[in-house]
Amino acid sequence: MQEARTWRELLGQIISDPKEKQHLIDTLNVTPITFTRWVGGESDPRPQNLRQLINALPQRYQEQMRQLVKEERGVAEIVAAPQEVTLKTIPAEFYARVLVARASTTENLRFWSTSHLILQQAIGQLDPERHGMSIWVVRCMPPSGPYKKVRSLRESVGLGTPPWVGNLEQNAMFLGAESLAGNVVTLCRPGIIQNLDKEHNLMPASRVEHEKSTAIYPILYAGKIAGVLLVSSTQIDYFLSQSRTDLVQQYADLVALAFEPEDFYAPEEIALCVMPSHRQQKEYFSHFRQMVAETMLRAATRNKPVNNQQADMLVWQRLEEELLQIPARKVISLDVETNNLN
């Protein structure tokens, strides 16, 4: 690869690799044409976007990109080593961005777009050196069952840095009483595990690959809870720093703005059940998009059309009911086997 003379040239070389380009598009949430304009000098990235761009690059390019940016007049002051730009609080101007986004987004897209905006900012601030982090907004499922209680949680909006993929939503599954997230929802107080290798017994069914430590904070409003902000790291003891856990708390408070008041539930409305492991759930989620399409088609043939968001929730509710039967079926099977032996 020819030695780049400017940061724009270096960016052009990096995005010539389709995989790297797609990764940056997903991480920064910008269009391909935006990269073309940056490389061609037709436009300049905002300071926040430029910081995110540098942090999103493969490690081998970060220092070179940082030096080239410093050499360009007018932007040197916005780029510093990762430890210098990592803030202890959420920037004040970002709160304004969230409020504007929430006010200007249609109802159907409000939750996803607001959550996604917040998670982008959060992961850039919590993992600036890209050690490896996943961050999820996990929300309560609507009350169901004979007692009309919240019986499970679902991973809803998620972002990651390597070794996790940028967009985690395709891997979304249920969490229940067996998980640390479920414990946080039940008790309405944070849960932090610094070393999952030593404390794995606290959440045996919900630990995912690469996860070494985790911090989970409740999403609260007026004494009620809508879910949790779940942050996982590839590093042991990543959440020992008080400033880092304070920042997770701030983002959990901020992401509450993505929810509507009716999405929050009083403690007495929550009775979480045990959900199967992610490995068991994968089989049920393998045809999720197909199930959503079929749900929309069936509704249309009955002259009761539903949009994609409504169909999506109907499929989640259907899968929740099916998965909640698995532990019961196992117990019944075990009882039958025991009786046959006697």
Side-chain angles (χ1 to χ4, degrees), residues 102 110-111 114-115 118 137-143 148-150 152-153 185 188 217-229 249 251-271:
R102 191 182 191 283
R110 188 178 299 137
F111 172 78
T114 305
S115 296
I118 294 170
V137 175
V138 179
R139 62 188 305 179
C140 294
M141 283 292 289
K148 296 300 178 184
K149 302 282 188 180
V150 173
S152 72
L153 313 171
V185 168
C188 286
Y217 279 75
I219 300 169
L220 303 170
Y221 169 73
K224 298 182 177 182
I225 188 166
V228 300
L229 184 67
Q249 172 75 75
Y251 276 111
D253 294 339
L254 183 57
V255 85
L257 290 176
F259 293 81
E260 302 302 324
E262 59 269 23
D263 296 328
F264 292 82
Y265 300 97
E268 60 268 21
E269 297 178 90
I270 297 171

Side-chain angles (χ1 to χ4, degrees), residues 55-335:
N55 292 332
L57 294 176
Q59 196 76 36
R60 63 185 181 277
Y61 295 121
Q62 289 186 14
E63 188 55 37
Q64 183 184 1
M65 177 65 80
R66 195 171 286 113
Q67 291 301 320
L68 290 172
V69 169
K70 286 181 180 180
E71 293 172 8
E72 182 173 304
R73 184 178 181 181
V75 296
E77 67 275 11
I78 69 173
V79 180
Q83 59 269 26
E84 295 178 78
V85 300
T86 302
L87 305 176
K88 293 183 178 180
T89 60
I90 302 173
E93 61 270 19
F94 184 71
Y95 284 96
R97 283 184 61 194
V98 171
L99 293 173
V100 169
R102 191 182 191 283
S104 59
T105 307
T106 60
E107 184 178 353
N108 286 346
L109 296 174
R110 188 178 299 137
F111 172 78
W112 184 89
S113 61
T114 305
S115 296
H116 196 266
L117 176 65
I118 294 170
L119 294 195
Q120 277 188 305
Q121 174 75 16
I123 205 165
Q125 198 171 357
L126 288 166
D127 187 26
E129 298 184 66
R130 296 176 64 80
H131 292 299
M133 176 173 286
S134 71
I135 181 167
W136 279 102
V137 175
V138 179
R139 62 188 305 179
C140 294
M141 283 292 289
S144 61
Y147 302 106
K148 296 300 178 184
K149 302 282 188 180
V150 173
R151 298 190 292 170
S152 72
L153 313 171
R154 70 180 179 105
E155 296 169 329
S156 186
V157 183
L159 294 178
T161 58
W164 284 289
V165 297
N167 184 353
L168 295 170
E169 290 164 36
Q170 60 186 349
N171 301 320
M173 294 189 189
F174 289 102
L175 299 174
E178 79 293 336
S179 67
L180 181 59
N183 190 58
V184 169
V185 168
T186 300
L187 300 178
C188 286
R189 66 186 186 198
I192 299 172
I193 295 182
Q194 302 293 357
N195 188 340
L196 283 161
D197 290 336
K198 291 184 178 179
E199 304 175 75
H200 60 86
N201 59 307
L202 295 179
M203 47 188 305
S206 58
R207 184 182 180 184
V208 295
E209 189 179 9
H210 312 304
E211 189 179 29
K212 296 293 185 180
S213 60
T214 186
I216 307 177
Y217 279 75
I219 300 169
L220 303 170
Y221 169 73
K224 298 182 177 182
I225 188 166
V228 300
L229 184 67
L230 191 163
V231 186
S232 300
S233 173
T234 60
Q235 309 294 302
I236 292 172
D237 295 332
Y238 197 73
F239 301 100
L240 280 177
S241 165
Q242 183 66 47
S243 62
R244 186 169 285 152
T245 54
D246 286 347
L247 197 54
V248 177
Q249 172 75 75
Q250 291 173 37
Y251 276 111
D253 294 339
L254 183 57
V255 85
L257 290 176
F259 293 81
E260 302 302 324
E262 59 269 23
D263 296 328
F264 292 82
Y265 300 97
E268 60 268 21
E269 297 178 90
I270 297 171
L272 296 181
C273 302
V274 174
M275 295 300 291
S277 68
H278 276 193
R279 181 182 57 80
Q280 291 174 290
Q281 290 187 45
K282 281 182 180 180
E283 179 184 346
Y284 289 78
F285 279 92
S286 59
H287 303 293
F288 184 86
R289 296 323 316 171
Q290 181 182 340
M291 293 168 68
V292 171
E294 290 172 351
T295 299
M296 295 179 71
L297 182 60
R298 284 195 301 270
T301 58
R302 293 196 294 265
N303 292 321
K304 295 181 179 180
V306 295
N307 60 34
N308 189 77
Q309 185 183 35
Q310 293 168 326
D312 190 90
M313 177 52 72
L314 288 170
V315 173
W316 273 101
Q317 290 173 315
R318 172 183 163 187
L319 289 175
E320 178 192 43
E321 192 61 44
E322 291 181 10
L323 288 166
L324 284 173
Q325 301 306 313
I326 290 179
R329 285 202 297 267
K330 283 188 174 180
V331 171
I332 292 171
S333 175
L334 183 60
D335 287 343

Side-chain angles (χ1 to χ4, degrees), residues 10-26:
L10 179 58
L11 178 59
Q13 293 172 1
I14 294 170
I15 65 176
S16 64
D17 182 335
K19 289 185 178 179
E20 292 291 355
K21 183 175 183 179
Q22 189 59 51
H23 164 70
L24 292 175
I25 288 171
D26 292 341

